[in-house]
Amino acid sequence: SAVALAGTAEMGDVIDQHNSADGHQGDAILYVLRSASLPIAALAILNSTVLIIAHARENRHAALRVYTVRILLMVVIDSMAAVIALWGTGWMAELDPLVEAVMHFVVEFYESVVIFSF
């Protein structure tokens, strides 16, 4: 969640330092990371969706079902936020802090909703 977003920002800093030293090699590393993030996030989202549907069918306790679905949705939201932060930065330097701040807010807000619901 927040660690993933912070790791994305730190990875961008490492790649920027690598770019300044080796030219375009950092761009290739960033492209590989971005390309790998999509199928990994899609797999996490698909797996969570299957688990949410199975849990909604099997669990007969409405209150527990709602809380569990909220927790499982954290995977979906964190995965999407990480991919958006990874793909949404590096194109326009002016927007990088905004994209990172918005994604960080979304993740932290949803985590606080889940924690508060308990």
Side-chain angles (χ1 to χ4, degrees):
S1 59
V3 174
L5 293 177
T8 304
E10 291 169 5
M11 182 58 71
D13 294 341
V14 169
I15 290 171
D16 288 341
Q17 291 171 356
H18 198 61
N19 262 348
S20 62
D22 291 342
H24 297 289
Q25 187 175 2
D27 292 337
I29 293 170
L30 185 59
Y31 180 74
V32 168
L33 289 174
R34 286 179 175 164
S35 299
S37 70
L38 289 175
I40 292 169
L43 183 63
I45 292 169
L46 179 65
N47 188 27
S48 293
T49 304
V50 168
L51 289 174
I52 289 169
I53 292 169
H55 187 71
R57 285 186 195 161
E58 302 292 328
N59 193 345
R60 302 203 189 285
H61 303 287
L64 293 176
R65 182 174 48 232
V66 170
Y67 295 137
T68 306
V69 168
R70 284 182 187 163
I71 292 170
L72 290 172
L73 278 174
M74 284 180 64
V75 174
V76 175
I77 291 173
D78 286 351
S79 296
M80 291 188 331
V83 168
I84 290 170
L86 189 60
W87 280 89
T89 55
W91 306 104
M92 293 178 60
E94 305 85 34
L95 293 180
D96 286 354
L98 178 65
V99 170
E100 291 173 8
V102 168
M103 290 300 102
H104 183 71
F105 173 77
V106 168
V107 168
E108 292 295 321
F109 177 76
Y110 190 73
E111 285 179 359
S112 65
V113 167
V114 171
I115 290 170
F116 184 74
S117 69
F118 284 107

